[in-house]
Amino acid sequence: MSLRYFEELSPGHGKEAPRAAPASDAPRLDLNGDWAFRFSEAGLDETDGFELPGFHDQGWDRLPVPSHWQLHGYGKPAYLNIAYPIPLDPPYVPDENPTGDYRRVFDLPESWAGTPAVVRFEGVESCARVWLNGVELGVTRGSRLAAEFDVTHALRPGSNVLAVRVHQFSSGTYLEDQDTWRLAGIFRDVTLLARPASGIRDVFVHAGYDVASGGGRLRIDVDTDAEATVAIPGLGVSGTPATEEFTFDEIRPWSAEDPHLYDAVICTPGEEVRLRIGFRTVAVTDTGVLTVNGSRVVLRGVNRHEFHPDRGRAITLEDMRHDVESMKRHNINAVRTAHYPPHPAFLDLCDEYGLWVMLECDLETHGFECTQPEPRLGNPSDAPQWHEACLDRAQRTVERDKNHPGVISWSLGNEAGDGRNLEAMAAWIHERDPSRPIHYEGDRLARYVDLYGEMYRTPAVVRRIGQGLLRPGETFYPATGGEGDPADERRNRMPFVYTEFAHAMGNGPGALDEYMRLCEQYPRVQGGFVWEWKDQGLRSTDAQGREFFAYGGDFGEDLHDGNFICDGLVLPDGTPSPGLLEYQKVIEPVAIGPGSTPGHLLVHNRHDLVDLAHLRFTWSLTRDGVQLGDGTLPTPDLGPGERTEIPLPLLRTGTDDVSEGESWLTVRAELAKPTAWAPEGHVVAWGQIPLPSDGEPARATLDASLLAADATGARIALGPARFDRNTGRLLGLGDHEFDGPRLDLWRAPTDNDLAWSQRDAAYWKARGLDRLRHRTVSVQPDEEGLTVVVRSAAAATDCGYLTTYRWETDEHRLRVHVHTEPVGHWPQREDVFGEPMVDADLPPEEYAELLRRDKAPSLARIGLHWELPGEWSRVSWFGAGPGESYPDSRQAARVGLFRASVEELQTPYVRPQDNGNRSDVRWAEVVDDEGAGLRIEGAELFNLAARRWSDRHLAEARHGTDLSAGPAIHLHTDHVVQGVGSGAVGPGVLPRYRLEVRPADFTLVLTALPARQLPTS
């Protein structure tokens, strides 16, 4: 059987040559809106005449354009990461090929009479056949790439009918196996564009910056049959022939930190085109460093899919602007357009607001990794018959977006293996646009790219790369040792970028600080892109009308990859996650901290190109969490990369002594003036410095002599406390009744805990840590308190923990010292992660210790679980906050006094999991609305979490709507918790943040609180 047209290997036919599409004064008709729509489950080939003007479509439905038909009830969304949604049978697709027929009637204005025109589709997934007034215009493939068709011969005065048949699957599907929702339809704008005689077909702007002189060079290639002139008012250019090459003695260059654009107008007798020109020069130095305008840049970026929870990839200008403004507010300076060119308006915003862009081609063949008997058998990236289709995608990418100063590199695609077609794409781009370097992570040996990229390498591996120690032929995926002298390896002389790192799935990522510190230590390590920007959860409702965000498997798919689609730094509705706040802090462009000498403050300008003149510095002083004073500091005169130490400010606090209690100085760098993306006073960076105090704080102490336990009644009494006679469990304190505490070693697994390679969650489950049973070994009252010994373990295991609780009281307060230690056999954790997790150049003893900890048996936590009255829903604490923090993700937490409801302590990750931990807590109070409840103080810093459901309930929930409040508040006071890592993809918890099976000692003091007036803020 011959190929059907949607299975042909070509990129289509009938399209005009690709071009940029700058703003023009030529007439245009917006064809977005409601179109007549008919849906079929089958892959129709021949038509029933629906493309003809006289066809009656009154019985058809109406579907908005742009949109995806699955989000309007036609078929269902499906999420897959690697596997194809169709049989791997290139270039064929199944007969069950959802197809949508579209019709749009529009009136041609009389002023268009005789004017040539094209119809432009910005994005159609995945194959479109187009007619105008029954005349076939052609076929396009390349879903996220623009396509134009000449309609001059088919346009007619008055009413016109544009008809489009869209197939969800086509030969193009094999080139578009991106990790995202599989959605179809006309999902970007459709426009009719007049192409007047003597008009401008295309423009290519070449605007460079001369670092040595501060001047600029400009050449504009104008594709026109007429004489063209250019005007740039900001540079004194007016009516100059566009063929002239311009040299300017002084210009203000464009950068992500200072995105200055010059408005330009190019005129011919038939058309006027408006451009925004940014002068900048991108180069790779002889030492292998990526520079812009002569300065090394560090990419503090994100990978960004286009996504909205209601509209999928059919996003609006407001959606894009929200993304860009949020990125800028959170110190992000770079975007990789994963894994396709975005809507062109997004790049306009990147130019305007200032973001470095790695623009990626619409190419991914990840599913060929699954072919047998060998991976990537028949991969299109290396198959000659796919050459034209691959090269077409590179050409359409570059031609559309070549005039954007924000685009500083091209990326050939993502996870498409290797092969001659990728090499051909790189060669064409190098010839067409030598001003930008090329990236492609799949070129493992960097044979045809200019930037060496890797995904999810450990910090230990990145350190080796930064040191230039790769051996010739060495690769990490697949693992290949290589051999020879590193001096012969080309990659050791290239910029290195984190193509993807720090997988932001669920609670995480951890170790962001470790990755970004390497950028400061090794000039060739130049940052990169967190995976990814936004959770791609689709807004849905359950049978009870409750709203939730759906992921893979929620639409009855036969094949899906679950919640792997929800791996972003912002939640589906755009709410910043704790991971984004952590990233914001780690990558802040000003570092503020203690100086090398007492009484001094270190300020480091980490901007790549600008000084600190746009910022103002303020300070505030707190003692035990209460603010004592505030003020301003002179803005340090620091150029990019410079640092200095300045004396601490004279602290005018209204009191003469700041040495009592725990005092912290917080210094903030704020915007001195409003910007396009944030108001005046927006905090760009901050640092906290502890001030000297008179001695260590006396925490968890009792004020008077100890009381004896009274075991004569039905319960054991110890001052204000009551204990169960048989189990030794604390039952109440003062007037309050509650249940607790019990030893807790487990947490509701995070997505990173569930990683298959480090196997933490599997290890915990196999040891039964989620189902501990407790056996009281002894209850011994005495003259100074009560000692309770409990063994905790799970059915069918011989390993557990033996815990001794020593209770004491001074009549008013109750102190418990906890000693707990492992008993029985704890087998090794089956950690199969193969890459080094420990730096080999550490001191030998430290190296050996971290190696041991890396593979050691692990725990989620060592702490106490309490069940408190449900009305105790108000929490205050002095410690790290205000948001959640874990050992390897706590840079964004500052020490202070914070208050929140139990509900506010939760982070609503799309798939419920452990969340809401507050670290470094000195004391906490959990009370009701009248202030009655419990105060807990720690002799050591402790971790705090509170929620209305148990960890078991949390772990069993698929969505937040599965969680219902129980009668108790579940309070966790943990001595230690394990970090979160990025194990869902890549490294899990680094050894220094890993909680191994070990003994622990800690002390808490409890005070019953009566009803009282609570603070209002």
Side-chain angles (χ1 to χ4, degrees):
M1 180 180 292
S2 61
L3 293 174
R4 295 169 287 189
Y5 72 86
F6 45 81
E7 295 168 326
E8 294 172 353
L9 288 166
S10 75
H13 63 269
K15 299 192 301 292
E16 295 289 284
R19 66 186 184 104
S24 168
D25 69 346
R28 58 187 290 134
L29 282 181
D30 180 356
L31 298 182
N32 292 343
D34 286 343
W35 290 42
F37 179 74
R38 178 178 63 182
F39 179 72
S40 172
E41 293 284 0
L44 305 174
D45 192 356
E46 297 305 318
T47 78
D48 60 353
F50 85 94
E51 73 277 15
L52 300 174
F55 185 87
H56 294 289
D57 60 16
Q58 287 83 352
W60 287 23
D61 298 330
R62 292 295 181 268
L63 184 71
V65 169
S67 74
H68 299 286
W69 63 58
Q70 288 89 348
L71 302 184
H72 291 265
Y74 305 97
K76 295 180 180 179
Y79 165 60
L80 290 167
N81 173 17
I82 298 174
Y84 282 101
I86 58 175
L88 200 56
D89 183 27
Y92 302 102
V93 300
D95 295 336
E96 298 86 0
N97 183 7
T99 297
D101 290 334
Y102 294 77
R103 281 171 54 90
R104 174 72 154 87
V105 179
F106 65 91
D107 289 328
L108 187 71
E110 293 181 4
S111 60
W112 285 58
T115 302
V118 297
V119 63
R120 182 178 178 94
F121 294 86
E122 294 292 350
V124 184
E125 188 161 338
S126 75
C127 174
R129 188 178 179 187
V130 185
W131 297 264
L132 182 64
N133 296 324
V135 178
E136 183 168 351
L137 304 178
V139 171
T140 181
R141 283 176 281 277
S143 297
R144 294 95 178 186
L145 300 163
E148 288 184 344
F149 298 94
D150 189 345
V151 297
T152 307
H153 60 297
L155 268 178
R156 63 190 189 187
S159 180
N160 289 261
V161 177
L162 181 63
V164 186
R165 171 161 284 176
V166 178
H167 302 281
Q168 180 164 2
F169 305 128
S170 70
S171 60
T173 301
Y174 291 100
L175 303 179
E176 297 171 6
D177 192 31
Q178 287 93 345
D179 173 15
T180 187
W181 289 103
R182 309 307 168 104
L183 300 168
I186 305 175
F187 71 95
R188 287 186 186 157
D189 307 294
V190 183
T191 314
L192 187 71
L193 302 171
R195 305 304 312 131
S198 301
I200 299 171
R201 204 200 75 79
D202 199 8
V203 176
F204 193 171
V205 175
H206 309 268
Y209 176 63
D210 189 319
V211 179
S213 68
R217 303 176 305 278
L218 176 65
R219 187 182 85 249
I220 304 177
D221 298 332
V222 183
D223 185 356
T224 179
D225 297 328
E227 295 292 328
T229 62
V230 60
I232 312 174
L235 293 172
V237 176
S238 177
T240 306
T243 54
E244 182 174 325
E245 294 192 16
F246 300 91
T247 301
F248 304 101
D249 292 337
E250 183 179 358
I251 60 100
R252 182 175 167 185
W254 185 96
S255 72
E257 294 172 357
D258 181 21
H260 185 75
L261 297 167
Y262 290 91
D263 291 321
V265 179
I266 302 172
C267 292
T268 66
E271 188 174 10
E272 181 178 288
V273 162
R274 296 177 298 283
L275 298 167
R276 306 194 76 188
I277 296 175
F279 288 83
R280 56 105 184 94
T281 297
V282 184
V284 176
T285 69
D286 293 340
T287 57
V289 174
L290 175 67
T291 64
V292 180
N293 300 337
S295 296
R296 173 181 180 262
V297 296
V298 176
L299 305 174
R300 301 172 175 95
V302 292
N303 288 277
R304 175 186 176 269
H305 269 292
E306 293 186 304
F307 183 75
H308 186 276
D310 302 312
R311 296 186 293 275
R313 285 185 289 281
I315 59 176
T316 67
L317 180 61
E318 290 71 26
D319 299 333
M320 293 179 256
R321 191 179 301 277
H322 183 275
D323 278 358
V324 170
E325 290 179 351
S326 184
M327 289 176 189
K328 293 290 291 186
R329 286 195 296 270
H330 291 91
N331 294 328
I332 288 165
N333 72 355
V335 177
R336 175 178 174 234
T337 66
H339 298 294
Y340 41 81
H343 191 290
F346 178 76
L347 299 178
D348 292 334
L349 294 170
C350 292
D351 293 343
E352 176 186 346
Y353 285 82
L355 288 169
W356 309 120
V357 176
M358 176 180 282
L359 193 79
E360 194 146 274
C361 182
D362 189 9
L363 176 65
E364 180 165 342
T365 65
H366 203 171
F368 279 86
E369 195 174 89
C370 305
T371 55
Q372 298 295 334
E374 59 185 78
R376 300 207 173 275
L377 194 64
N379 182 16
S381 297
D382 195 44
Q385 63 269 32
W386 291 93
H387 173 88
E388 181 187 3
C390 291
L391 187 58
D392 171 80
R393 288 169 183 255
Q395 292 168 341
R396 289 159 73 184
T397 297
V398 170
E399 296 295 357
R400 193 196 74 170
D401 297 327
K402 56 185 179 282
N403 294 325
H404 288 282
V407 177
I408 62 168
S409 73
W410 304 110
S411 178
L412 302 180
N414 181 68
E415 294 175 323
D418 199 358
R420 70 197 80 178
N421 294 332
L422 288 157
E423 292 186 56
M425 293 163 66
W428 183 90
I429 294 173
H430 275 133
E431 181 176 356
R432 178 60 171 155
D433 180 27
S435 71
R436 295 175 173 100
I438 293 175
H439 161 275
Y440 174 61
E441 178 266 344
D443 182 10
R444 309 278 186 219
L445 298 178
R447 293 175 294 112
Y448 46 85
V449 297
D450 310 296
L451 305 176
Y452 170 43
E454 289 280 356
M455 294 183 180
Y456 306 112
R457 301 283 74 89
T458 66
V461 166
V462 174
R463 185 180 297 276
R464 280 194 64 236
I465 294 172
Q467 292 171 332
L469 297 178
L470 292 178
R471 294 177 294 272
E474 178 181 359
T475 59
F476 302 104
Y477 180 73
T480 306
E483 59 184 13
D485 188 345
D488 298 328
E489 174 52 62
R490 178 173 181 256
R491 293 171 296 169
N492 290 332
R493 301 183 298 278
M494 297 176 68
F496 174 74
V497 296
Y498 305 136
T499 302
E500 295 177 16
F501 82 110
H503 191 267
M505 187 174 181
N507 188 342
L512 286 167
D513 190 46
E514 279 74 7
Y515 279 103
M516 298 311 296
R517 279 206 307 266
L518 293 169
C519 301
E520 297 190 9
Q521 297 174 28
Y522 303 104
R524 289 177 37 255
V525 177
Q526 300 197 241
F529 309 93
V530 169
W531 185 266
E532 64 173 311
W533 171 241
K534 180 181 286 187
D535 284 344
Q536 296 182 62
L538 290 168
R539 199 187 315 269
S540 302
T541 55
D542 64 13
Q544 288 75 45
R546 298 174 301 180
E547 187 177 286
F548 68 97
F549 292 112
Y551 49 80
D554 286 330
F555 298 98
E557 309 99 301
D558 293 332
L559 190 67
H560 65 86
D561 285 311
N563 69 309
F564 207 72
I565 192 74
C566 295
D567 46 14
L569 290 171
V570 301
L571 303 182
D573 62 1
T575 301
S577 75
L580 179 58
L581 301 181
E582 178 78 358
Y583 195 36
Q584 174 188 15
K585 175 60 179 169
V586 167
I587 63 177
E588 61 189 5
V590 183
I592 304 170
S596 59
T597 56
H600 284 75
L601 182 75
L602 171 68
V603 179
H604 177 200
N605 180 8
R606 299 199 296 193
H607 288 92
D608 297 322
L609 294 112
V610 302
D611 59 25
L612 302 183
H614 63 294
L615 301 175
R616 69 174 177 230
F617 283 68
T618 65
W619 64 267
S620 62
L621 176 69
T622 61
R623 183 170 63 207
D624 293 338
V626 178
Q627 182 164 315
L628 299 179
D630 57 21
T632 60
L633 292 171
T635 298
D637 183 13
L638 293 176
E642 295 180 346
R643 65 183 73 201
T644 190
E645 293 194 9
I646 60 177
L648 290 179
L650 179 63
L651 304 177
R652 299 182 180 87
T653 65
T655 178
D656 295 331
D657 188 6
V658 296
S659 62
E660 295 181 359
E662 188 173 346
S663 298
W664 289 84
L665 177 70
T666 302
V667 177
R668 297 175 175 86
E670 307 171 350
L671 289 178
K673 296 179 180 179
T675 68
W677 45 270
E680 178 183 348
H682 168 77
V683 178
V684 171
W686 60 271
Q688 242 187 353
I689 300 96
L691 298 181
S693 61
D694 292 338
E696 292 295 319
R699 288 198 291 261
T701 60
L702 300 182
D703 298 329
S705 58
L706 303 181
L707 300 183
D710 180 359
T712 59
R715 296 176 175 179
I716 298 175
L718 183 62
R722 299 169 298 284
F723 296 84
D724 184 277
R725 173 180 291 278
N726 297 314
T727 65
R729 290 277 296 282
L730 176 64
L731 302 177
L733 185 65
D735 295 333
H736 306 317
E737 301 288 330
F738 51 83
D739 187 12
R742 288 185 176 182
L743 182 72
D744 200 1
L745 307 172
W746 182 75
R747 68 187 180 200
T750 68
D751 292 313
N752 292 312
D753 293 335
L754 293 166
W756 66 271
S757 55
Q758 283 82 18
R759 300 186 60 77
D760 284 295
Y763 185 84
W764 303 337
K765 187 173 183 61
R767 308 284 81 74
L769 302 187
D770 59 331
R771 50 185 176 85
L772 291 179
R773 296 291 184 265
H774 308 276
R775 177 176 64 83
T776 303
V777 177
S778 62
V779 179
Q780 296 181 336
D782 58 41
E783 291 302 311
E784 292 189 332
L786 173 69
T787 301
V788 179
V789 180
V790 178
R791 190 180 192 278
S792 303
T797 69
D798 66 345
C799 62
Y801 261 70
L802 187 67
T803 306
T804 300
Y805 301 89
R806 176 60 184 174
W807 298 94
E808 298 168 334
T809 185
D810 62 359
E811 187 176 6
H812 301 291
R813 306 204 301 166
L814 180 68
R815 179 171 63 194
V816 59
H817 175 75
V818 180
H819 171 78
T820 187
E821 60 186 34
V823 294
H825 174 61
W826 290 82
Q828 286 297 109
R829 186 169 44 85
E830 297 176 357
D831 187 331
V832 297
F833 189 77
E835 287 190 10
M837 292 283 280
V838 185
D839 295 334
D841 51 0
L842 289 172
E845 291 186 3
E846 183 180 357
Y847 178 73
E849 171 61 12
L850 289 177
L851 276 183
R852 184 194 65 77
R853 289 181 62 178
D854 182 38
K855 303 297 183 183
S858 74
L859 300 171
R861 57 169 28 121
I862 300 176
L864 302 180
H865 173 209
W866 314 69
E867 293 187 30
L868 307 180
E871 61 269 20
W872 292 8
S873 61
R874 300 178 66 168
V875 182
S876 59
W877 73 99
F878 179 39
E884 73 179 29
S885 56
Y886 289 78
D888 56 353
S889 62
R890 60 141 298 125
Q891 301 300 313
R894 57 184 172 84
V895 176
L897 178 58
F898 304 102
R899 298 179 180 86
S901 67
V902 168
E903 287 73 19
E904 290 168 339
L905 291 175
Q906 315 308 308
T907 300
Y909 294 112
V910 174
R911 187 193 72 80
Q913 56 198 273
D914 187 84
N915 71 90
N917 186 73
R918 268 63 178 179
S919 57
D920 293 350
V921 176
R922 282 77 165 158
W923 60 260
E925 294 181 356
V926 186
V927 300
D928 62 19
D929 289 342
E930 280 71 47
L934 187 66
R935 179 183 174 95
I936 304 173
E937 300 171 63
E940 307 82 14
L941 303 179
F942 64 95
N943 295 271
L944 176 76
R947 53 183 66 100
R948 291 192 178 275
W949 35 78
S950 68
D951 278 11
R952 287 286 297 274
H953 192 181
L954 186 62
E956 292 166 358
R958 180 176 169 85
H959 297 289
T961 49
D962 299 328
L963 295 169
S964 55
I969 298 293
H970 294 266
L971 178 71
H972 297 270
T973 55
D974 295 321
H975 177 57
V976 282
V977 298
Q978 176 153 290
V980 290
S982 287
V985 174
V989 180
L990 295 181
R992 62 174 46 89
Y993 305 119
R994 179 168 287 287
L995 176 56
E996 62 179 311
V997 174
R998 63 171 177 82
D1001 285 270
F1002 55 95
T1003 300
L1004 300 173
V1005 168
L1006 314 179
T1007 306
L1009 299 176
R1012 66 198 194 282
Q1013 183 69 39
L1014 292 176
T1016 58
S1017 62

